[in-house]
Amino acid sequence: MRDEGAVLALCDIVRETAFSLHTYLRHGHLEKVYEAGMTHRLRRLGLEVERQRILSVFDEDGTGLGEYHADLLVDNRLIVELKACNALGPEHIAQVLGYLRAARMRDGLLINFGSPKLQVRKLIL
């Protein structure tokens, strides 16, 4: 049984960390800079963070079809996808949902550092 409260608390920590990083760096950097910053700050808080986690996609008969690289996997239970674009679009949401399906996970965050105002979307599969 999953502890929903723990996942929500983890999401809060990641959102607060993203807000703090965005306040410091502002928009205008490459995605990899925000990825490194989030990794550093979350690890400093004692969280386990894996960058560029490989997620394999399989056909129904088990044949490998390809791989995704999720930006961050936090505490082995939250996929965090980072963007540095003008605005989030439906294609970004579809990307995270694809990651969640491939990883057989339920919870994801989509964070955009590329606009003057930080954008965060919580996604549940």
Side-chain angles (χ1 to χ4, degrees):
M1 176 112 190
R2 260 175 28 89
D3 183 3
E4 185 68 27
V7 172
L8 292 176
L10 181 60
C11 289
D12 286 344
I13 291 168
V14 173
R15 274 193 288 266
E16 290 167 8
T17 302
F19 181 77
S20 174
L21 184 63
H22 188 265
T23 300
Y24 179 72
L25 291 178
R26 301 187 183 234
H27 66 288
H29 297 282
L30 295 175
E31 183 181 307
K32 66 182 180 179
V33 172
Y34 298 110
E35 183 180 315
M38 288 294 292
T39 300
H40 169 71
R41 288 178 179 221
L42 291 170
R43 285 180 179 162
R44 201 170 61 195
L45 293 172
L47 296 172
E48 181 183 334
V49 181
E50 186 177 346
R51 288 176 71 177
Q52 294 299 311
R53 170 68 177 263
I54 296 174
L55 306 172
S56 299
V57 180
F58 298 96
D59 201 347
E60 61 188 354
D61 66 359
T63 302
L65 300 176
E67 295 178 338
Y68 292 126
H69 295 267
D71 289 334
L72 303 175
L73 177 63
V74 182
D75 275 0
N76 284 313
R77 56 186 166 164
L78 180 67
I79 290 178
V80 180
E81 182 62 20
L82 306 175
K83 297 295 177 192
C85 56
N86 290 332
L88 294 174
E91 65 275 13
H92 301 123
I93 293 169
Q95 179 184 13
V96 175
L97 293 175
Y99 288 179
L100 292 172
R101 280 191 293 276
R104 293 181 169 88
M105 295 179 69
R106 181 178 180 264
D107 300 286
L109 284 177
L110 175 59
I111 303 173
N112 182 26
F113 287 93
S115 65
K117 184 176 178 182
L118 182 73
Q119 297 174 305
V120 180
R121 296 281 309 263
K122 168 74 168 85
L123 301 169
I124 298 174
L125 183 64

